[in-house]
Amino acid sequence: MTHIRILVPVVPSDALPGPDEVLEIYAPLHRPDLMISCRMIENGPKSIEGRKEEAEAVSGLITLAVEAEADGADGLVIDCMGDPGVEVLREIASIPVLGPARTSMTVAANIGHRFSILTVLERSRPLVEEQVERAGLAGRLASVRVVDLPVLEIESHPNKTFNKLMAQAELAARDDRADVIIPGCTGYVGLAGRIEQELHARGLFATVLDPMPLTIRMAAVLVESGHTHPRSAYMPPGT
């Protein structure tokens, strides 16, 4: 059985799903040969919208990564579109470590010509643009559009969240000519299908990815294929 562990880089709060709720969200991905577990950091930010919060999350993620490998997890997925700590954890863990941002951008560039990312706040835009640049995909980026809704308000305002996402998705598909659209926060999980359906109803035939389910599946594929990150790229401490 393949065991993928989700690592949540924020501390528990009433505004965000806890580990049990996260597992309920991804329950449709379960199959007899795939187990999904989840852990949250104990100390760190309540949400991640910028570099400061990303940095604050890494220490807790290191602890969770060591624990996960000791528990027998086969792959790790970071539950944040900032991909915090991914490269650090790859130096520590021998099992695959994936973040939803790089994974979904790579898939978007593979299946379409141009992609757009819908990020949470204007403060987050530079981080997204830097991610695209580091991935070598700047030439495939149609746009980064800002939804303008803080992470901690996503779950408490579902209609407002969807409407704001939908407005930016339409602009990305119509004005920016994006073939693929990536909702740029894992708090938007489950909305990709609705956004895509509504876009199609408006005559805009972009594909909308749901980054976390996609990344969990990709982590399982890597494990089942016998692949992980190369040690030549991510050398363990003390090497």
Side-chain angles (χ1 to χ4, degrees), residues 172-233:
R174 188 185 306 280
D175 295 354
D176 306 332
R177 299 174 59 201
D179 306 302
V180 184
I181 295 171
I182 302 171
C185 176
T186 58
Y188 300 145
V189 63
L191 297 178
R194 288 178 60 196
I195 295 169
E196 182 175 294
Q197 185 177 26
E198 183 61 28
L199 286 174
H200 290 190
R202 300 179 189 185
L204 300 167
F205 297 101
T207 292
V208 183
L209 301 180
D210 204 342
M212 272 298 288
L214 177 66
T215 305
I216 292 168
R217 291 186 174 104
M218 186 67 73
V221 168
L222 282 173
V223 171
E224 291 153 11
S225 300
H227 298 306
T228 189
H229 44 275
R231 281 305 183 198
S232 57

Side-chain angles (χ1 to χ4, degrees), residues 8-9 24 37 49 64 68 75 131 135 141 154 163-164 183 191 216:
V8 184
E24 287 180 15
S37 62
E49 296 164 345
L64 292 183
Q131 285 180 315
L141 181 66
I154 289 173
N163 290 336
K164 280 180 164 286
L191 297 178
I216 292 168

Side-chain angles (χ1 to χ4, degrees), residues 52-147:
K52 177 178 179 290
E53 300 93 273
E54 286 187 1
E56 290 172 342
V58 172
S59 177
L61 288 170
I62 291 172
T63 300
L64 292 183
V66 172
E67 174 191 284
E69 195 157 17
D71 287 347
D74 300 301
L76 305 176
V77 172
I78 309 300
D79 189 1
C80 176
M81 285 295 285
D83 289 359
V86 167
E87 296 191 346
V88 176
L89 267 55
R90 286 178 177 174
E91 290 188 352
I92 295 165
S94 62
I95 57 179
V97 181
L98 293 182
R102 175 71 71 95
T103 302
S104 55
M105 287 190 294
T106 303
V107 170
N110 189 37
I111 64 174
H113 293 294
R114 291 155 52 84
F115 64 89
S116 287
I117 300 172
L118 313 181
T119 195
V120 285
L121 299 174
E122 187 62 41
R123 178 178 177 235
S124 309
R125 183 198 296 271
L127 281 73
V128 175
E129 293 172 342
E130 289 171 7
Q131 285 180 315
V132 176
E133 185 71 32
R134 287 198 302 271
L137 296 171
R140 309 294 292 278
L141 181 66
S143 62
V144 176
R145 289 197 164 269
V146 176
V147 176

Side-chain angles (χ1 to χ4, degrees), residues 3-8 18-20 22-23 36-40 67 79:
H3 176 189
I4 303 300
R5 177 158 293 176
I6 299 169
L7 305 184
V8 184
D20 291 342
V22 170
L23 291 178
I36 302 171
S37 62
C38 178
R39 298 288 187 276
M40 300 182 77
E67 174 191 284
D79 189 1

